[in-house]
Amino acid sequence: MRVLVVLGLVAAAAFRVASADVQQQKDVLYLLNKIYGDIQDGDLLATANSFDPVGNLGSYSDGGAAVQKLVQDLNDGKLLEQKHWFSLFNTRHRNEALMLFDVLIHCKDWASFVGNAAYFRQKMNEGEFVYALYVAVIHSSLAEDVVLPPLYEVTPHLFTNSEVIEEAYRAKQKQTPGKFKSSFTGTKKNPEQRVAYFGEDIGLNTHHVTWHMEFPFWWNDAYGHHLDRKGENFFWIHHQLAVRFDAERLSNYLDPVGELQWNKPIVDGFAPHTTYKYGGQFPARPDNVKFEDVDDVARIRDMVIVESRIRDAIAHGYIVDSEGKHIDISNEKGIDILGDIIESSLYSPNVQYYGALHNTAHIVLGRQGDPHGKFDLPPGVLEHFETATRDPSFFRLHKYMDKIFKEHKDNLPPYTKADLEFSGVSVTELAVVGELETYFEDFEYSLINAVDDAEGIPDVEISTYVPRLNHKEFTFRIDVENGGAERLATVRIFAWPHKDNNGIEYTFDEGRWNAIELDKFWVSLKGGKTSIERKSTESSVTVPDVPSIHDLFAEAEAGGAGLAKFESATGLPNRFLLPKGNDRGLEFDLVVAVTDGDADSAVPNLHENTEYNHYGSHGVYPDKRPHGYPLDRKVPDERVFEDLPNFKHIQVKVFNHGEHIH
Ligand SMILES: [Cu+2]
């Protein structure tokens, strides 16, 4: 959000800002289009060829320290070659990508930002470049209004099955346009395939990788801002992925996913059917692999030790920082510290002792196909945030970490009625207008960036279409009675599956831990009755699909006015708001909690903010309450909720009648 202080200049300034933004938008699109070939824009290509990164050290806020270092390494031939795979979990790759990020984040103006980006695009590894540019655009104040193109079009290899990529190459070779059907990886013999539409969904993969770019584990506040509640957000996004996955499994008559255990075999194997642009195929893993130590990464017994240190800290209610000081975690801020420790991020107060359970586990799991590096295989799907959720073991891993977080939450005192009440306010009605119904539809995206360019060989239209889950639109109707004067209220909507796969009803306490967050927003309640109508399209936990590169170019050409709503791409795709459900109607408990907005809100005027995005938010997170509030703590006595006037609980069904829109 831009704040223009001098009111008299608003009109003129706004105009200049808009046109500058269009140029920025185009620059970024050209930088990310066809990353394995030359920049397609003549002016930008000329900039790339003529730019001198160390020509004007005054244009960097660090006096040029970062750029001098990068240029030195480049001249010394130390940087990873082009046309080689890139993985963020590879220390060397990450360090190099971050060296470029360090340059871009310290640019004082766009000319220097885009000049450096264009210059290093030609010299550095393409994967490192793409990563550095994405995180720089997300975090640099220079690029606030730029919409990043969908990653599945920038690096389609990471999102598209090999079979389809091969067809794309053939189409280009034969100069015949093609539109190819993508299928999910396995066959019906594998029950896990019933939920492949979730883990392999390109929108889910995009949500996951974008979240990790918005809240990177390597983030250092010296880059310019603090990432508020990053550790807690880490817990919450992955908790939501885990509970969503279980709801998808129940929709398809599968048991909830089991947690990973270091001393037990990894039950489900995975054949990714995905190939690196450069570097061969992603390695596969057969069923029932027993964990092995991974050379140069970690021994399994070290993982067990790190886990027990973390659980010990939870049991004690405090952690020990790197100086030996005790930090209390037996309070609502504890989850944030635990998240930093478990991921771990640079915010962790003691990496030496608590390790990096999540990051190391991703590598260890990713390498189980070749733990000793005997076959010289590239990294596995779990070593990329773009591809990790494709492998069902991703959800086993996160179920395992989720249970550790739950141990902590369960140690906190349960909320009492007095904690949760919103005096004088009651919810008199909660209803869904329209049927909760999901269906599949085909989604098409371009593969033009998957294939190679060669002099004199023109592009032909090449795309793929994939089935994906969507839902019919619906509206929540919530009637609220306010016995007092006008005041602000926070509305929190959740749903959880009513029964497990054996038809046994979940208790309130089991159910609330499986709650899927559907929406959170603020309203101003007048005295008396307020009828709230909240549409499914408005949910603050979801985002709309980002337009294709082609459409982004067209939008920018037309002035860019329609682009604002795509600025933050962090969030579940809106079409994923509901779990699939099934033909019989999967039963869910739907709840709404209306709590004190003035007490909850960390920033003013939230009820007027239509841009509020649950996952992607720079600056202070607007809701002071813990993620998942008021269902985040143990509920030993569910009457606390059932007697709460500002809480309403109904049962609904989510249907899927096998409809597929082509
Ligand atoms: Cu993740």
Side-chain angles (χ1 to χ4, degrees), residues 112-295:
S112 126
F113 186 104
V114 77
N116 275 295
Y119 177 85
F120 287 106
R121 182 190 193 274
Q122 297 188 316
K123 321 265 179 197
M124 285 182 72
N125 173 273
E126 300 87 350
E128 292 181 353
F129 169 77
V130 168
Y131 183 75
L133 186 60
Y134 264 79
V135 282
V137 166
I138 289 172
H139 291 281
S140 169
S141 55
L142 295 173
E144 266 177 4
D145 298 330
V146 173
V147 176
L148 283 158
L151 265 170
Y152 48 79
E153 285 194 346
V154 175
T155 49
H157 277 71
L158 297 175
F159 297 84
T160 315
N161 284 3
S162 331
E163 294 81 354
V164 171
I165 295 278
E166 280 166 23
E167 292 197 81
Y169 279 112
R170 276 196 292 276
K172 174 86 185 236
Q173 219 166 28
K174 287 196 274 183
Q175 288 286 292
T176 336
K179 183 177 157 185
F180 307 107
K181 180 181 180 358
S182 281
S183 314
F184 300 118
T185 51
T187 68
K188 282 188 175 167
K189 286 187 182 172
N190 178 5
E192 290 298 315
Q193 279 303 300
R194 293 185 217 158
V195 287
Y197 67 85
F198 186 70
E200 295 180 23
D201 184 271
I202 57 168
L204 186 78
N205 284 301
T206 304
H207 161 58
H208 184 231
V209 65
T210 311
W211 184 90
H212 280 282
M213 288 173 164
E214 189 110 20
F215 296 90
F217 62 84
W218 47 262
W219 185 262
N220 181 334
D221 287 358
Y223 291 128
H225 53 271
H226 179 72
L227 300 176
D228 192 30
R229 292 165 65 178
K230 176 150 76 93
E232 183 187 4
N233 215 319
F234 169 80
F235 150 68
W236 187 248
I237 181 205
H238 293 99
H239 174 70
Q240 283 298 301
L241 289 180
V243 299
R244 263 311 292 275
F245 189 57
D246 280 349
E248 300 303 338
R249 298 179 73 84
L250 290 172
S251 301
N252 291 285
Y253 308 100
L254 292 170
D255 283 330
V257 73
E259 67 174 312
L260 178 140
Q261 295 180 62
W262 297 113
N263 58 355
K264 295 218 175 120
I266 312 160
V267 183
D268 292 304
F270 183 61
H273 288 253
T274 321
T275 312
Y276 284 92
K277 171 82 179 168
Y278 299 100
Q281 290 185 8
F282 277 80
R285 184 190 63 245
D287 284 346
N288 295 311
V289 166
K290 271 182 64 194
F291 273 109
E292 283 200 48
D293 296 347
V294 176
D295 295 10

Side-chain angles (χ1 to χ4, degrees), residues 13 24 79 171 275 322 366 374 425 496 515 526 532 551:
Q24 289 186 335
L79 300 182
T275 312
S322 55
K374 284 158 86 173
V425 173
W496 63 78
K526 298 202 168 48
I532 302 165
D551 290 352

Side-chain angles (χ1 to χ4, degrees), residues 45-46 81 192 228 245 295 333 341-342 359 451 472 503 546 557 597 615:
L45 184 61
E81 73 254 39
E192 290 298 315
D228 192 30
F245 189 57
D295 295 10
K333 303 263 181 269
I341 279 176
I342 289 176
N359 289 354
V451 298
K472 310 230 157 126
V546 172
E557 217 53 71
Y615 286 106

Side-chain angles (χ1 to χ4, degrees), residues 27-41:
D27 289 342
V28 168
L29 290 173
Y30 278 120
L31 287 167
L32 290 168
N33 199 22
K34 305 241 174 205
I35 53 158
Y36 298 100
D38 277 337
I39 297 172
Q40 310 262 305
D41 177 63

Side-chain angles (χ1 to χ4, degrees), residues 390-437:
R390 299 167 72 91
D391 186 335
S393 73
F394 170 87
F395 294 100
R396 292 173 65 86
L397 169 65
H398 278 281
K399 186 55 98 56
Y400 155 73
M401 284 180 290
D402 202 49
K403 292 210 167 169
I404 301 177
F405 284 117
K406 186 170 188 289
E407 280 182 19
H408 160 72
K409 285 282 189 182
D410 283 353
N411 276 349
L412 300 176
Y415 297 116
T416 62
K417 190 159 180 260
D419 290 335
L420 301 176
E421 253 169 358
F422 185 11
S423 74
V425 173
S426 54
V427 180
T428 51
E429 174 79 10
L430 167 63
V432 175
V433 185
E435 201 181 27
L436 299 176
E437 186 186 339

Side-chain angles (χ1 to χ4, degrees), residues 637-653:
D637 181 358
E638 65 187 70
R639 286 171 302 182
V640 167
F641 280 89
E642 303 302 354
D643 296 345
L644 207 61
N646 49 322
F647 182 82
K648 191 91 185 161
H649 183 171
I650 62 169
Q651 239 117 66
V652 294
K653 283 183 180 179

